[in-house]
């Protein structure tokens, strides 16, 4: 599926004055909301959406700064704000009861939502939680060199300007276990969405989420330790960034969880190994 095909499947919704791209498919009673990863978009789920939509009404939006959503240059791109946007979007869609799935960057948006949920600050019932390959325990994460450069206030802006498709392709392919699964056609479609709306001008701002993971560590890890929501930890074991040790540690901290490892798979399991990933998510 091309990026343009994906765009045609979705719709645009105004949230707090910015336009957010949203996929909304399936019409069953259960709703699944998905928070996608970095530096990609809701497109990560194009292979698994048909199967997910048989069980759920599936709602996936592009975070601000990502995919087809607005990418304002005068914006902080805090994970706190991304949580604000997600919650407001779901409210505008009339959601009151959901299963929440989060991957990578999305897991930190998720933990901010959990912190508020634990304190009864939001009017949303979260029945189940599914966490996939995210470096919530940032101290265990094996950050790529480009991530370190982009998150720096000194180098971020310049690295973003110099980033091109070749650099992007190499870095994304390197987080796959089976590199052949990161096809040229698919990588080009992902790159097109990154560039959409002058996306390269904000990618260094988006990268500050790594710093926030350190700053809000106690709030967000604390939220996971406190939550009573039944949680599935669906984790690709060969992720070179969000390493399996993070999943193992989370399994000792989250009160009501089940750890479901995925063999021979890297950082984007829903793209690299969609069928086995689906089996664990839908089990």
């Amino acid at each position: 599926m091309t990026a343009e095909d994906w765009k045609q499947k979705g719709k645009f919704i105004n949230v707090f004055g910015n336009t957010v791209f949203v996929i909304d498919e399936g019409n069953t009673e259960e709703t699944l909301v998905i928070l996608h990863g970095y530096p990609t978009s809701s497109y990560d789920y194009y292979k698994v959406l048909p199967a997910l939509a048989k069980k759920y009404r599936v709602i996936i939006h592009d975070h601000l700064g990502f995919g087809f959503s607005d990418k304002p240059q005068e914006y902080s791109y805090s994970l706190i704000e991304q949580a604000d946007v997600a919650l407001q979007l779901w409210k505008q869609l009339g959601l009151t009861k959901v299963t929440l799935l989060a991957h990578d960057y999305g897991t930190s948006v998720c933990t901010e939502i959990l912190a508020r949920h634990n304190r009864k600050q939001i009017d949303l019932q979260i029945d189940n939680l599914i966490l996939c390959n995210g470096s919530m325990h940032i101290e265990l994460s094996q950050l790529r060199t480009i991530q370190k450069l982009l998150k720096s206030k000194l180098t971020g802006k310049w690295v973003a300007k110099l980033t091109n498709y070749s650099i992007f392709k190499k870095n994304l392919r390197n987080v796959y276990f089976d590199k052949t699964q990161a096809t040229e056609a698919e990588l080009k479609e992902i790159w097109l969405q990154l560039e959409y709306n002058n996306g390269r001008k904000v990618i260094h701002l988006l990268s500050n989420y790594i710093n926030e993971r350190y700053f809000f560590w106690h709030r967000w890890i604390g939220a996971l330790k406190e939550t009573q929501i039944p949680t599935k930890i669906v984790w690709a074991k060969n992720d070179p960034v969000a390493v399996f040790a993070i999943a193992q540690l989370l399994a000792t901290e989250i009160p009501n969880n089940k750890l479901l490892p995925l063999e021979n798979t890297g950082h984007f399991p829903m793209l690299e190994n969609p069928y086995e990933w689906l089996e664990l998510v839908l089990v």
Side-chain angles (χ1 to χ4, degrees), residues 129-261:
L129 190 59
I130 305 168
L131 300 174
C132 306
N133 290 78
S135 298
M136 294 90 93
H137 272 289
I138 189 65
E139 73 280 6
L140 296 179
S141 178
Q142 302 296 310
L143 294 177
R144 318 303 284 179
T145 301
I146 196 164
Q147 287 178 295
K148 293 176 184 175
L149 292 170
L150 281 167
K151 77 181 179 73
S152 165
K153 284 186 168 60
L154 292 174
T155 57
K157 187 176 181 180
W158 307 107
V159 172
K161 278 188 176 181
L162 293 170
T163 296
N164 56 32
Y165 174 62
S166 295
I167 293 168
F168 168 81
K169 175 172 71 171
K170 179 184 175 186
N171 278 282
L172 204 64
R173 190 169 268 147
N174 280 342
V175 299
Y176 278 63
F177 174 73
D178 179 356
K179 308 290 188 280
T180 65
Q181 292 300 311
T183 65
E184 188 74 21
E186 192 170 87
L187 291 169
K188 276 185 179 170
E189 299 301 331
I190 294 169
W191 174 250
L192 282 172
Q193 290 172 77
L194 187 148
E195 285 220 296
Y196 184 86
N197 275 346
N198 291 317
R200 264 196 290 177
K201 290 188 175 178
V202 303
I203 195 165
H204 64 293
L205 301 175
L206 302 180
S207 303
N208 190 52
Y209 80 96
I210 297 167
N211 298 320
E212 284 193 295
R213 278 177 162 165
Y214 286 106
F215 191 81
F216 291 107
W217 190 96
H218 293 287
R219 175 177 173 85
W220 292 342
I221 297 299
L224 290 167
K225 290 177 178 178
E226 289 173 26
T227 185
Q228 297 304 308
I229 300 167
T231 302
K232 281 200 286 195
I233 304 168
V234 178
W235 215 271
K237 286 182 78 172
N238 302 94
D239 186 336
V241 183
V243 292
F244 190 58
I246 295 173
Q248 292 173 305
L249 182 52
L250 291 172
T252 70
E253 295 174 324
I254 300 171
N256 183 11
N257 80 82
K258 187 184 234 180
L259 176 57
L260 301 169

Side-chain angles (χ1 to χ4, degrees), residues 2-16:
T2 67
E4 187 57 35
D5 291 336
W6 187 249
K7 187 180 177 186
Q8 294 305 316
K9 283 176 81 68
K11 57 187 174 182
F12 291 91
I13 295 177
N14 187 286
V15 181
F16 298 138

Side-chain angles (χ1 to χ4, degrees), residues 263-275:
E263 303 287 343
N264 302 321
T265 309
H267 186 63
F268 288 95
M270 66 293 297
L271 285 171
E272 183 180 349
N273 196 351
Y275 300 111

Side-chain angles (χ1 to χ4, degrees), residues 6 23 71 87 100 108 116 121 126 171 186 188 202 214 222 238 276:
W6 187 249
I23 293 286
K71 297 169 180 174
L87 288 165
L100 171 53
S108 289
R116 302 182 198 185
Q121 293 173 336
I126 303 173
N171 278 282
E186 192 170 87
K188 276 185 179 170
V202 303
Y214 286 106
N238 302 94
E276 288 188 40

